[in-house]
Amino acid sequence: MAPLVVLVAVTGLTRLAGWLHLADWLDSWPHAARLGVAAMFTLTATAHFAPPLRNQLIAMVPPRLPSPTALVTLTGILEFAGAAALLIPRPPPQQPPAWHSYCSPCSPPTSTPPTPR
């Protein structure tokens, strides 16, 4: 339940900060949601390293998997990495090359069947 509360609270607060023009780049739902999910990942990743929760996570690993302690540590590190990756801005979408707009009308469509003779 705590991760859901963090997700909703951080997303709502960052969206409110954008709406109040405290930070212009927060003035969209996708940016606010990315910060909310990053905060949620950070919260859940800390459970992989906090002693009472860590022991419970290790106990949940199926016995057929090797080294439960290492797997819990690895997944915690990966959650921290996922949270950090969400904070990296995405590059804008790339446009097709200029030759694409020239060659497309010149080439015959490939989806039409050949005409019978």
Side-chain angles (χ1 to χ4, degrees), residues 3-89:
L4 178 64
V5 171
V6 168
L7 172 67
V8 171
V10 171
T11 302
L13 289 173
T14 53
R15 185 65 180 105
L16 180 65
W19 185 68
L20 294 174
H21 301 292
L22 299 177
D24 288 336
W25 60 276
L26 290 177
D27 198 16
S28 71
W29 281 107
H31 288 131
R34 286 174 69 181
L35 284 176
V37 173
M40 183 186 71
F41 277 2
T42 303
L43 174 72
T44 57
T46 57
H48 291 74
F49 301 102
L53 297 173
R54 179 178 174 81
N55 296 335
Q56 293 173 1
L57 289 172
I58 292 171
M60 283 192 274
V61 176
R64 64 180 173 259
L65 294 177
S67 186
T69 305
L71 289 174
V72 169
T73 302
L74 176 66
T75 55
I77 291 169
L78 290 174
E79 284 188 35
F80 276 128
L86 284 169
L87 300 177
I88 298 171

